[in-house]
Amino acid sequence: MRISQLAAESRPLFSFEFFPPKDDVSDAQLWHTLEKLVPLHPDFVSVTYGANGSQRDRTMAVTTRLSQQTHMRTMGHLTCVDQPVSDLVSVLDQYAESGLELVFAIRGDMPGGPTVPWEKHPQGLENATQLVSLIKSHSDFCVGVAAFPEAHPAQNDPDLDARILKDKWEAGADFAITQLFFDPLAYVRLVDRVRSLGCEIPVIPGIMPITMISQVVRFAEMSGAEIPASVRARLDEVADDPASVRAVGTQIATELSQELLELGAPGLHFFTQNRSAATRAIMKNLSAG
């Protein structure tokens, strides 16, 4: 069943995102996290993909292991950064050989973040729309793409973001996952802009559990997301107590998730940061609600 079909069901879908471990210690942490999250029966899990060789290799190894050694549907990531088309095709072949059916296609950011000017590889692709087209011409993967509730910081043009998302849908994208955000109305405005263009792609909100203030501030700055004053005030009140930060952060993410589902979001995609406690707590709160 394709993700768009799951998104059309009456019950919300849930998915978890991980990043590739950098050493043996973080590798053990990742698999410990997976053991804790498996009982939640996610609809799919995904592993992010770096532009440089070593991280790319780790992504491939973890993605292959997830696909072949667990019962979880696994999504491989793929970016255009610093790669010729031949390398992209090679990765797609490896994903197919590993039994993957899902690929998340993003242009990716240059080292330094999304505000650094984009540079196309001489034998590569210009953007995610071209990447979606390449993937669909190569194999019948179910393809996910990125969406931006708040304007992409490079162009700062919400209407352009909506048109680009429509282009990716027309190229064959099956669903979209948003960048992190904290204002539910930003999600509503994004969906409204996309639907006004005649684009029916399911848009799954990306949820960042807040466990450390410095971490979420850094991620928000990199992605262009705004932390609402009310959210920042709640976090600042407990800033000197890490346990309270995690508790308040969990409650903030729970409230956001509940409101998004009430507003019609087809599901939630959790950026786990390779930890399970916050995501499990949020999921527990949602099921209790």
Side-chain angles (χ1 to χ4, degrees):
M1 185 176 292
R2 303 185 81 83
I3 301 304
S4 58
Q5 294 173 302
L6 289 174
E9 293 187 346
S10 57
R11 59 102 181 165
L13 63 84
F14 296 98
S15 54
F16 306 135
E17 182 172 300
F18 310 100
F19 58 81
K22 61 182 180 179
D23 52 36
D24 290 344
V25 173
S26 55
D27 183 74
Q29 172 63 48
L30 170 60
W31 291 98
H32 176 73
T33 295
L34 284 163
E35 289 176 2
K36 295 290 186 180
L37 293 176
V38 165
L40 298 180
H41 303 293
D43 290 285
F44 64 92
V45 297
S46 67
V47 183
T48 59
Y49 181 91
N52 61 59
S54 61
Q55 189 178 19
R56 201 181 306 161
D57 292 343
R58 288 193 290 268
T59 294
M60 295 300 302
V62 172
T63 303
T64 299
R65 185 177 172 188
L66 274 170
S67 176
Q68 295 181 343
Q69 297 184 18
T70 75
H71 296 293
M72 293 184 292
R73 179 182 293 183
T74 305
M75 179 169 71
H77 284 217
L78 191 59
T79 79
C80 302
V81 179
D82 193 30
Q83 295 178 95
V85 169
S86 59
D87 282 4
L88 299 174
V89 170
S90 176
V91 172
L92 291 172
D93 288 339
Q94 292 179 64
Y95 281 158
E97 291 170 4
S98 300
L100 267 68
E101 300 174 346
L102 303 177
V103 175
F104 194 64
I106 55 177
R107 188 198 69 177
D109 296 323
M110 301 299 295
T115 59
V116 176
W118 167 255
E119 294 183 14
K120 173 182 174 292
H121 187 282
Q123 288 80 47
L125 301 177
E126 186 65 49
N127 53 48
T129 303
Q130 292 181 4
L131 182 55
V132 173
S133 296
L134 174 69
I135 294 169
K136 297 304 291 185
S137 68
H138 185 72
S139 183
D140 190 31
F141 286 105
C142 178
V143 181
V145 294
F148 298 88
E150 294 168 316
H152 191 290
Q155 290 85 27
N156 195 30
D157 186 343
D159 291 329
L160 175 61
D161 292 338
R163 292 196 298 272
I164 291 173
L165 182 53
K166 180 187 179 185
D167 289 343
K168 291 186 282 192
W169 177 62
E170 292 178 338
D174 188 69
F175 66 101
I177 297 174
T178 76
Q179 296 289 316
L180 69 91
F181 65 99
F182 301 97
D183 178 5
L185 294 182
Y187 172 83
V188 173
R189 290 190 291 268
L190 165 67
V191 174
D192 286 346
R193 286 193 297 271
V194 172
R195 298 291 181 259
S196 71
L197 298 174
C199 176
E200 297 299 323
I201 190 170
V203 181
I204 304 169
I207 304 296
M208 172 67 76
I210 302 173
T211 57
M212 292 188 294
I213 296 177
S214 60
Q215 182 186 64
V216 76
V217 168
R218 184 174 71 255
F219 286 151
E221 289 175 347
M222 290 179 61
S223 66
E226 179 180 350
I227 301 178
S230 59
V231 170
R232 188 59 191 260
R234 291 170 68 180
L235 294 170
D236 286 344
E237 285 181 2
V238 295
D240 295 330
D241 181 0
S244 295
V245 169
R246 290 191 293 272
V248 171
T250 296
Q251 186 57 36
I252 289 170
T254 298
E255 293 167 5
L256 175 62
S257 298
Q258 288 174 327
E259 188 164 357
L260 288 166
L261 294 176
E262 290 170 1
L263 288 168
L268 302 168
H269 182 77
F270 290 94
F271 305 120
T272 69
Q273 296 303 299
N274 290 15
R275 297 291 189 271
S276 68
T279 298
R280 286 188 290 121
I282 296 165
M283 291 284 288
K284 181 178 180 180
N285 291 344
L286 293 175
S287 64

